[in-house]
Amino acid sequence: MRHKQSSPKWTRARKLWAGAGIIVIIGVAFFLGLSIAGHQSETPEPSTATSSKVKVQSSHKVASSRRPDSTGDVDVLSDLTEKAGENASTRTNDNEKTYSQFKQQNGTWYWWLTSSKRGTIEVGEVRSVAKDGQTAQLKMKSEYYDQGTNYTLTFHWLAGSNTQYNLNTDFKQINGDYTLGDTEDDVTPAKDVNLQDVIQSTVGRGKGYEDASTQTNGGDQTTSEFYGMNPSENGRYAHWYWDFSSKKRGPIIHAMIGSVKVDYAGNPTSFEMSDMEKQKDFTVNVSYDWSSNTYHLWTNYQNIDGRYTNDEAH
């Protein structure tokens, strides 16, 4: 009779070895799973998916770094880039002639309203344009006169004309007719006015100190001084000069004044000058205010643009 073989007994030591083997097997399997997953994550996605992700990120980044371009029927503005002078029939403020011009910068359109008396009156950002026949509604945001104010500027061509147009808005009661290319100021020729009389009665009434509102370069206050030299026996000066300086930089320009243009009231609108040191001819535009003895002075030469109060008024 055969004896039935009995199963081997599991000693405590054998149980421990078996448990350790199971742990090792599980660990190896887990490591292989991680390795496979890692290789899968490094695999490039399909080109379409990758392109889509890049576009989304790029679009978000651009939108947060710059404001949107002008939108809508902006093509109508391409016909208005030439400077246009206001017609006599719509002028106000003692027959002040204003100028209108549209310019595009980095995809955004802007509107400039200027005059010889006041210089820059308004710069408006064109946010959108909606065209309807010969009329267009421009949604604007003020960048100069009343920064941040939104308003609507209505444009339309005048009847039977492709060179004259009307602009009107409730913003500061602007309503004028303009002619493209009309940039001649209504001034008396320089030969018909006396340089000394004009200067002594306006900008030459003491040294001009720049207002805080136009100071740049860390609040550097500039000064503007018009004066005559080499007087004759009758008190007339042979030559007139303009000195422009600042507290920080000292003397900046020393110029001889050659001639002056004035408006209908005798106020200076511009001076023709020559830089004595650099031998450079340039024009200085001026807008004088009798009521406060102040004036606005601006020129492309060295990018000067400031408002000044004569010390006689201090």
Side-chain angles (χ1 to χ4, degrees):
M1 180 178 221
R2 292 181 179 177
H3 293 282
K4 186 178 181 180
Q5 292 181 350
S6 60
S7 301
K9 294 183 179 180
W10 288 84
T11 65
R12 183 175 182 182
R14 294 180 67 183
K15 289 181 180 181
L16 289 174
W17 278 106
I22 292 173
I23 292 174
V24 169
I25 293 172
I26 293 174
V28 170
F30 181 74
F31 175 80
L32 290 175
L34 286 178
S35 177
I36 293 172
H39 283 293
Q40 288 178 344
S41 65
E42 293 174 1
T43 303
E45 297 181 10
S47 59
T48 55
T50 304
S51 175
S52 174
K53 283 191 174 183
V54 171
K55 286 181 179 178
V56 170
Q57 293 172 352
S58 175
S59 174
H60 175 74
K61 194 170 185 179
V62 170
S64 63
S65 62
R66 66 183 298 272
R67 55 191 173 195
D69 296 339
S70 304
T71 61
D73 301 316
V74 294
D75 289 345
V76 69
L77 303 180
S78 61
D79 294 327
L80 307 176
T81 56
E82 186 177 9
K83 194 172 184 179
E86 185 179 5
N87 298 348
S89 59
T90 61
R91 296 176 198 169
T92 57
N93 192 26
D94 293 330
N95 199 39
E96 177 185 22
K97 184 176 182 179
T98 61
Y99 296 92
S100 168
Q101 188 173 20
F102 289 84
K103 301 178 185 179
Q104 187 180 33
Q105 295 180 352
N106 300 323
T108 300
W109 282 90
Y110 295 89
W111 173 55
W112 266 261
L113 182 68
T114 61
S115 81
S116 295
K117 286 185 178 181
R118 291 181 284 168
T120 301
I121 300 172
E122 164 65 344
V123 178
E125 177 191 343
V126 181
R127 310 304 295 273
S128 66
V129 180
K131 184 180 177 183
D132 183 10
Q134 295 295 304
T135 301
Q137 300 286 332
L138 284 61
K139 297 297 183 182
M140 310 289 296
K141 186 180 78 170
S142 177
E143 297 284 345
Y144 187 83
Y145 193 97
D146 193 1
Q147 289 187 352
T149 297
N150 296 312
Y151 59 96
T152 300
L153 182 65
T154 302
F155 159 87
H156 69 265
W157 292 106
L158 297 183
S161 174
N162 59 358
T163 60
Q164 298 188 52
Y165 60 86
N166 173 268
L167 290 175
N168 68 84
T169 174
D170 290 337
F171 180 69
K172 307 305 177 184
Q173 291 75 49
I174 296 171
N175 189 350
D177 295 340
Y178 294 86
T179 300
L180 291 171
D182 178 16
T183 57
E184 286 296 322
D185 292 327
D186 295 329
V187 298
T188 304
K191 64 181 181 181
D192 293 338
V193 298
N194 185 280
L195 182 62
Q196 178 165 333
D197 292 342
V198 173
I199 293 178
Q200 286 186 329
S201 63
T202 56
V203 294
R205 297 167 61 189
K207 181 181 289 188
Y209 293 85
E210 186 180 8
D211 295 347
S213 61
T214 60
Q215 292 174 16
T216 57
N217 193 25
D220 184 19
Q221 185 183 46
T222 60
T223 58
S224 166
E225 186 174 14
F226 294 82
Y227 60 94
M229 292 186 66
N230 303 323
S232 61
E233 293 182 358
N234 61 5
R236 310 299 290 184
Y237 290 95
H239 302 289
W240 282 85
Y241 297 88
W242 177 58
D243 282 351
F244 183 74
S245 60
S246 80
K247 291 182 178 179
K248 290 184 178 179
R249 292 174 287 167
I252 300 172
I253 299 175
H254 172 59
M256 175 181 285
I257 304 173
S259 62
V260 61
K261 287 186 177 181
V262 300
D263 61 16
Y264 67 98
N267 296 321
T269 59
S270 66
F271 292 97
E272 296 300 324
M273 301 189 184
S274 179
D275 191 317
M276 300 296 289
E277 295 181 0
K278 299 182 178 179
Q279 300 299 308
K280 174 72 174 179
D281 295 333
F282 60 99
T283 301
V284 175
N285 301 293
V286 181
S287 173
Y288 186 77
D289 185 351
W290 284 86
S291 62
S292 59
N293 195 23
T294 63
Y295 58 91
H296 179 200
L297 179 153
W298 71 101
T299 174
N300 291 330
Y301 186 57
Q302 300 201 31
N303 299 315
I304 296 169
D305 189 339
R307 297 183 183 276
Y308 296 84
T309 301
N310 288 337
D311 55 8
E312 181 182 285
H314 284 186

